PDB file of all heavy atoms in Angstrom:
ATOM      1  N   ILE A  19      -5.357  42.058  48.661  1.00  0.00           N
ATOM      2  CA  ILE A  19      -4.726  41.850  47.353  1.00  0.00           C
ATOM      3  C   ILE A  19      -5.792  42.031  46.223  1.00  0.00           C
ATOM      4  O   ILE A  19      -6.881  41.371  46.240  1.00  0.00           O
ATOM      5  CB  ILE A  19      -3.999  40.506  47.183  1.00  0.00           C
ATOM      6  CG1 ILE A  19      -3.007  40.436  48.291  1.00  0.00           C
ATOM      7  CG2 ILE A  19      -3.403  40.364  45.811  1.00  0.00           C
ATOM      8  CD1 ILE A  19      -2.371  39.026  48.394  1.00  0.00           C
ATOM      9  N   ALA A  20      -5.445  42.767  45.241  1.00  0.00           N
ATOM     10  CA  ALA A  20      -6.240  42.946  44.032  1.00  0.00           C
ATOM     11  C   ALA A  20      -5.343  43.047  42.791  1.00  0.00           C
ATOM     12  O   ALA A  20      -4.318  43.802  42.842  1.00  0.00           O
ATOM     13  CB  ALA A  20      -7.162  44.233  44.071  1.00  0.00           C
ATOM     14  N   LEU A  21      -5.509  42.279  41.808  1.00  0.00           N
ATOM     15  CA  LEU A  21      -4.699  42.322  40.566  1.00  0.00           C
ATOM     16  C   LEU A  21      -5.194  43.348  39.626  1.00  0.00           C
ATOM     17  O   LEU A  21      -6.415  43.497  39.340  1.00  0.00           O
ATOM     18  CB  LEU A  21      -4.744  40.962  39.955  1.00  0.00           C
ATOM     19  CG  LEU A  21      -4.155  39.700  40.715  1.00  0.00           C
ATOM     20  CD1 LEU A  21      -4.260  38.498  39.834  1.00  0.00           C
ATOM     21  CD2 LEU A  21      -2.742  39.929  41.188  1.00  0.00           C
ATOM     22  N   ASP A  22      -4.222  44.134  39.043  1.00  0.00           N
ATOM     23  CA  ASP A  22      -4.611  45.095  37.994  1.00  0.00           C
ATOM     24  C   ASP A  22      -4.765  44.314  36.722  1.00  0.00           C
ATOM     25  O   ASP A  22      -3.925  43.530  36.383  1.00  0.00           O
ATOM     26  CB  ASP A  22      -3.527  46.097  37.929  1.00  0.00           C
ATOM     27  CG  ASP A  22      -3.793  47.254  37.086  1.00  0.00           C
ATOM     28  OD1 ASP A  22      -4.970  47.370  36.644  1.00  0.00           O
ATOM     29  OD2 ASP A  22      -2.934  48.221  36.790  1.00  0.00           O
ATOM     30  N   GLU A  23      -5.863  44.586  36.058  1.00  0.00           N
ATOM     31  CA  GLU A  23      -6.131  43.911  34.717  1.00  0.00           C
ATOM     32  C   GLU A  23      -5.111  44.100  33.620  1.00  0.00           C
ATOM     33  O   GLU A  23      -4.896  43.274  32.776  1.00  0.00           O
ATOM     34  CB  GLU A  23      -7.531  44.198  34.200  1.00  0.00           C
ATOM     35  CG  GLU A  23      -8.631  43.595  34.986  1.00  0.00           C
ATOM     36  CD  GLU A  23      -9.844  44.393  35.189  1.00  0.00           C
ATOM     37  OE1 GLU A  23      -9.910  45.386  34.449  1.00  0.00           O
ATOM     38  OE2 GLU A  23     -10.611  43.992  35.934  1.00  0.00           O
ATOM     39  N   SER A  24      -4.333  45.366  33.794  1.00  0.00           N
ATOM     40  CA  SER A  24      -3.362  45.570  32.767  1.00  0.00           C
ATOM     41  C   SER A  24      -2.057  44.668  32.938  1.00  0.00           C
ATOM     42  O   SER A  24      -1.256  44.526  32.080  1.00  0.00           O
ATOM     43  CB  SER A  24      -2.832  47.072  32.881  1.00  0.00           C
ATOM     44  OG  SER A  24      -2.374  47.298  34.154  1.00  0.00           O
ATOM     45  N   GLU A  25      -1.999  44.048  34.134  1.00  0.00           N
ATOM     46  CA  GLU A  25      -0.850  43.068  34.379  1.00  0.00           C
ATOM     47  C   GLU A  25      -1.134  41.689  33.725  1.00  0.00           C
ATOM     48  O   GLU A  25      -0.203  40.874  33.647  1.00  0.00           O
ATOM     49  CB  GLU A  25      -0.668  42.897  35.890  1.00  0.00           C
ATOM     50  CG  GLU A  25      -0.049  44.178  36.606  1.00  0.00           C
ATOM     51  CD  GLU A  25       0.134  43.919  38.023  1.00  0.00           C
ATOM     52  OE1 GLU A  25      -0.648  43.153  38.537  1.00  0.00           O
ATOM     53  OE2 GLU A  25       0.896  44.599  38.681  1.00  0.00           O
ATOM     54  N   ILE A  26      -2.322  41.498  33.289  1.00  0.00           N
ATOM     55  CA  ILE A  26      -2.670  40.210  32.702  1.00  0.00           C
ATOM     56  C   ILE A  26      -2.757  40.339  31.181  1.00  0.00           C
ATOM     57  O   ILE A  26      -3.458  41.187  30.697  1.00  0.00           O
ATOM     58  CB  ILE A  26      -4.022  39.681  33.220  1.00  0.00           C
ATOM     59  CG1 ILE A  26      -3.863  39.418  34.757  1.00  0.00           C
ATOM     60  CG2 ILE A  26      -4.511  38.468  32.576  1.00  0.00           C
ATOM     61  CD1 ILE A  26      -5.184  39.230  35.535  1.00  0.00           C
ATOM     62  N   GLU A  27      -2.106  39.401  30.468  1.00  0.00           N
ATOM     63  CA  GLU A  27      -1.973  39.406  29.112  1.00  0.00           C
ATOM     64  C   GLU A  27      -2.675  38.086  28.567  1.00  0.00           C
ATOM     65  O   GLU A  27      -2.403  37.106  29.092  1.00  0.00           O
ATOM     66  CB  GLU A  27      -0.552  39.459  28.682  1.00  0.00           C
ATOM     67  CG  GLU A  27      -0.325  39.696  27.289  1.00  0.00           C
ATOM     68  CD  GLU A  27       1.290  39.634  26.972  1.00  0.00           C
ATOM     69  OE1 GLU A  27       1.924  40.333  27.628  1.00  0.00           O
ATOM     70  OE2 GLU A  27       1.553  38.921  26.089  1.00  0.00           O
ATOM     71  N   GLU A  28      -3.629  38.354  27.571  1.00  0.00           N
ATOM     72  CA  GLU A  28      -4.230  37.186  26.927  1.00  0.00           C
ATOM     73  C   GLU A  28      -3.879  36.993  25.579  1.00  0.00           C
ATOM     74  O   GLU A  28      -3.735  37.992  24.819  1.00  0.00           O
ATOM     75  CB  GLU A  28      -5.761  37.391  27.078  1.00  0.00           C
ATOM     76  CG  GLU A  28      -6.332  37.231  28.491  1.00  0.00           C
ATOM     77  CD  GLU A  28      -7.846  37.574  28.413  1.00  0.00           C
ATOM     78  OE1 GLU A  28      -8.274  38.280  27.571  1.00  0.00           O
ATOM     79  OE2 GLU A  28      -8.492  37.172  29.458  1.00  0.00           O
ATOM     80  N   GLN A  29      -3.800  35.782  25.171  1.00  0.00           N
ATOM     81  CA  GLN A  29      -3.399  35.408  23.750  1.00  0.00           C
ATOM     82  C   GLN A  29      -4.298  34.223  23.373  1.00  0.00           C
ATOM     83  O   GLN A  29      -4.457  33.332  24.187  1.00  0.00           O
ATOM     84  CB  GLN A  29      -1.972  35.034  23.657  1.00  0.00           C
ATOM     85  CG  GLN A  29      -1.395  34.869  22.242  1.00  0.00           C
ATOM     86  CD  GLN A  29      -0.065  34.533  22.233  1.00  0.00           C
ATOM     87  OE1 GLN A  29       0.682  34.446  23.220  1.00  0.00           O
ATOM     88  NE2 GLN A  29       0.527  34.317  21.000  1.00  0.00           N
ATOM     89  N   PHE A  30      -4.873  34.304  22.184  1.00  0.00           N
ATOM     90  CA  PHE A  30      -5.806  33.344  21.822  1.00  0.00           C
ATOM     91  C   PHE A  30      -5.127  32.385  20.753  1.00  0.00           C
ATOM     92  O   PHE A  30      -4.562  32.871  19.823  1.00  0.00           O
ATOM     93  CB  PHE A  30      -7.156  33.945  21.212  1.00  0.00           C
ATOM     94  CG  PHE A  30      -7.863  34.672  22.165  1.00  0.00           C
ATOM     95  CD1 PHE A  30      -7.744  36.138  22.231  1.00  0.00           C
ATOM     96  CD2 PHE A  30      -8.615  34.078  23.277  1.00  0.00           C
ATOM     97  CE1 PHE A  30      -8.404  36.902  23.186  1.00  0.00           C
ATOM     98  CE2 PHE A  30      -9.241  34.828  24.237  1.00  0.00           C
ATOM     99  CZ  PHE A  30      -9.085  36.242  24.144  1.00  0.00           C
ATOM    100  N   VAL A  31      -5.123  31.086  21.103  1.00  0.00           N
ATOM    101  CA  VAL A  31      -4.528  30.101  20.185  1.00  0.00           C
ATOM    102  C   VAL A  31      -5.486  28.980  19.831  1.00  0.00           C
ATOM    103  O   VAL A  31      -6.582  28.926  20.439  1.00  0.00           O
ATOM    104  CB  VAL A  31      -3.217  29.423  20.842  1.00  0.00           C
ATOM    105  CG1 VAL A  31      -2.173  30.452  21.062  1.00  0.00           C
ATOM    106  CG2 VAL A  31      -3.621  28.844  22.248  1.00  0.00           C
ATOM    107  N   ARG A  32      -5.122  28.122  18.908  1.00  0.00           N
ATOM    108  CA  ARG A  32      -5.963  27.061  18.410  1.00  0.00           C
ATOM    109  C   ARG A  32      -5.958  26.052  19.502  1.00  0.00           C
ATOM    110  O   ARG A  32      -4.851  25.637  19.946  1.00  0.00           O
ATOM    111  CB  ARG A  32      -5.564  26.555  17.095  1.00  0.00           C
ATOM    112  CG  ARG A  32      -5.899  27.549  15.972  1.00  0.00           C
ATOM    113  CD  ARG A  32      -6.034  26.909  14.652  1.00  0.00           C
ATOM    114  NE  ARG A  32      -6.385  28.003  13.677  1.00  0.00           N
ATOM    115  CZ  ARG A  32      -5.720  28.256  12.595  1.00  0.00           C
ATOM    116  NH1 ARG A  32      -4.597  27.516  12.335  1.00  0.00           N
ATOM    117  NH2 ARG A  32      -6.112  29.110  11.834  1.00  0.00           N
ATOM    118  N   ALA A  33      -7.087  25.437  19.826  1.00  0.00           N
ATOM    119  CA  ALA A  33      -7.157  24.389  20.809  1.00  0.00           C
ATOM    120  C   ALA A  33      -7.036  23.035  20.160  1.00  0.00           C
ATOM    121  O   ALA A  33      -7.318  22.772  19.027  1.00  0.00           O
ATOM    122  CB  ALA A  33      -8.518  24.541  21.529  1.00  0.00           C
ATOM    123  N   SER A  34      -6.625  22.002  21.010  1.00  0.00           N
ATOM    124  CA  SER A  34      -6.559  20.625  20.552  1.00  0.00           C
ATOM    125  C   SER A  34      -7.887  19.975  21.034  1.00  0.00           C
ATOM    126  O   SER A  34      -8.632  20.597  21.809  1.00  0.00           O
ATOM    127  CB  SER A  34      -5.364  19.979  21.067  1.00  0.00           C
ATOM    128  OG  SER A  34      -5.376  19.988  22.475  1.00  0.00           O
ATOM    129  N   GLY A  35      -8.138  18.808  20.618  1.00  0.00           N
ATOM    130  CA  GLY A  35      -9.266  18.002  21.140  1.00  0.00           C
ATOM    131  C   GLY A  35     -10.499  18.207  20.326  1.00  0.00           C
ATOM    132  O   GLY A  35     -10.476  18.573  19.153  1.00  0.00           O
ATOM    133  N   PRO A  36     -11.652  17.895  20.992  1.00  0.00           N
ATOM    134  CA  PRO A  36     -12.933  17.857  20.204  1.00  0.00           C
ATOM    135  C   PRO A  36     -13.331  19.264  19.648  1.00  0.00           C
ATOM    136  O   PRO A  36     -12.964  20.303  20.206  1.00  0.00           O
ATOM    137  CB  PRO A  36     -13.951  17.249  21.146  1.00  0.00           C
ATOM    138  CG  PRO A  36     -13.401  17.643  22.555  1.00  0.00           C
ATOM    139  CD  PRO A  36     -11.919  17.518  22.338  1.00  0.00           C
ATOM    140  N   GLY A  37     -14.103  19.267  18.620  1.00  0.00           N
ATOM    141  CA  GLY A  37     -14.642  20.486  18.041  1.00  0.00           C
ATOM    142  C   GLY A  37     -14.837  20.466  16.595  1.00  0.00           C
ATOM    143  O   GLY A  37     -15.248  21.407  15.939  1.00  0.00           O
ATOM    144  N   GLY A  38     -14.413  19.367  15.981  1.00  0.00           N
ATOM    145  CA  GLY A  38     -14.670  19.248  14.535  1.00  0.00           C
ATOM    146  C   GLY A  38     -13.729  20.144  13.723  1.00  0.00           C
ATOM    147  O   GLY A  38     -12.704  20.553  14.115  1.00  0.00           O
ATOM    148  N   GLN A  39     -14.285  20.665  12.616  1.00  0.00           N
ATOM    149  CA  GLN A  39     -13.639  21.583  11.846  1.00  0.00           C
ATOM    150  C   GLN A  39     -13.427  22.882  12.481  1.00  0.00           C
ATOM    151  O   GLN A  39     -12.474  23.683  12.122  1.00  0.00           O
ATOM    152  CB  GLN A  39     -14.381  21.838  10.495  1.00  0.00           C
ATOM    153  CG  GLN A  39     -14.177  20.743   9.534  1.00  0.00           C
ATOM    154  CD  GLN A  39     -14.856  21.020   8.202  1.00  0.00           C
ATOM    155  OE1 GLN A  39     -15.712  21.877   8.066  1.00  0.00           O
ATOM    156  NE2 GLN A  39     -14.314  20.423   7.161  1.00  0.00           N
ATOM    157  N   ASN A  40     -14.189  23.266  13.511  1.00  0.00           N
ATOM    158  CA  ASN A  40     -14.179  24.559  14.256  1.00  0.00           C
ATOM    159  C   ASN A  40     -12.780  24.618  14.768  1.00  0.00           C
ATOM    160  O   ASN A  40     -12.256  25.755  14.924  1.00  0.00           O
ATOM    161  CB  ASN A  40     -15.230  24.469  15.297  1.00  0.00           C
ATOM    162  CG  ASN A  40     -15.639  25.855  15.769  1.00  0.00           C
ATOM    163  OD1 ASN A  40     -15.649  26.795  15.046  1.00  0.00           O
ATOM    164  ND2 ASN A  40     -15.641  25.997  17.105  1.00  0.00           N
ATOM    165  N   VAL A  41     -12.251  23.521  15.287  1.00  0.00           N
ATOM    166  CA  VAL A  41     -10.952  23.490  15.930  1.00  0.00           C
ATOM    167  C   VAL A  41      -9.829  24.021  15.019  1.00  0.00           C
ATOM    168  O   VAL A  41      -8.938  24.667  15.477  1.00  0.00           O
ATOM    169  CB  VAL A  41     -10.575  22.060  16.485  1.00  0.00           C
ATOM    170  CG1 VAL A  41      -9.194  21.696  16.216  1.00  0.00           C
ATOM    171  CG2 VAL A  41     -10.972  21.976  17.867  1.00  0.00           C
ATOM    172  N   ASN A  42      -9.937  23.773  13.665  1.00  0.00           N
ATOM    173  CA  ASN A  42      -8.941  24.147  12.776  1.00  0.00           C
ATOM    174  C   ASN A  42      -9.068  25.516  12.266  1.00  0.00           C
ATOM    175  O   ASN A  42      -8.235  26.106  11.718  1.00  0.00           O
ATOM    176  CB  ASN A  42      -9.028  23.275  11.453  1.00  0.00           C
ATOM    177  CG  ASN A  42      -8.832  21.731  11.818  1.00  0.00           C
ATOM    178  OD1 ASN A  42      -8.173  21.404  12.718  1.00  0.00           O
ATOM    179  ND2 ASN A  42      -9.547  20.933  11.212  1.00  0.00           N
ATOM    180  N   LYS A  43     -10.234  26.221  12.552  1.00  0.00           N
ATOM    181  CA  LYS A  43     -10.506  27.496  11.992  1.00  0.00           C
ATOM    182  C   LYS A  43     -10.409  28.540  13.087  1.00  0.00           C
ATOM    183  O   LYS A  43     -10.075  29.761  12.752  1.00  0.00           O
ATOM    184  CB  LYS A  43     -11.834  27.567  11.363  1.00  0.00           C
ATOM    185  CG  LYS A  43     -12.031  26.600  10.167  1.00  0.00           C
ATOM    186  CD  LYS A  43     -13.347  26.869   9.386  1.00  0.00           C
ATOM    187  CE  LYS A  43     -14.521  26.381  10.327  1.00  0.00           C
ATOM    188  NZ  LYS A  43     -15.841  26.531   9.631  1.00  0.00           N
ATOM    189  N   VAL A  44     -10.906  28.244  14.257  1.00  0.00           N
ATOM    190  CA  VAL A  44     -11.141  29.332  15.338  1.00  0.00           C
ATOM    191  C   VAL A  44     -10.160  29.128  16.491  1.00  0.00           C
ATOM    192  O   VAL A  44      -9.967  28.039  16.942  1.00  0.00           O
ATOM    193  CB  VAL A  44     -12.520  29.247  15.862  1.00  0.00           C
ATOM    194  CG1 VAL A  44     -12.811  30.404  16.804  1.00  0.00           C
ATOM    195  CG2 VAL A  44     -13.562  29.289  14.700  1.00  0.00           C
ATOM    196  N   SER A  45      -9.579  30.231  16.924  1.00  0.00           N
ATOM    197  CA  SER A  45      -8.638  30.212  18.107  1.00  0.00           C
ATOM    198  C   SER A  45      -9.471  30.374  19.366  1.00  0.00           C
ATOM    199  O   SER A  45      -9.759  31.462  19.808  1.00  0.00           O
ATOM    200  CB  SER A  45      -7.630  31.330  17.965  1.00  0.00           C
ATOM    201  OG  SER A  45      -6.860  31.149  16.844  1.00  0.00           O
TER     202      SER A  45
END
C-alpha cells in the first residue's frame, strides 16, 4: 500500500492553546 499525495487535502486553520498573539494571527 502506498497513498497518492493528491488524495490528501490540507487546510490550515487557527490553533487554540498557547502561542500568545501568534495564535490570533497565524494559521
Side-chain angles (χ1 to χ4, degrees):
I19 302 170
L21 299 179
D22 190 7
E23 282 144 15
S24 63
E25 293 179 330
I26 296 169
E27 188 182 309
E28 290 174 339
Q29 189 178 358
F30 300 100
V31 292
R32 291 205 176 121
S34 62
Q39 283 187 336
N40 200 45
V41 141
N42 304 324
K43 297 187 295 185
V44 186
S45 297

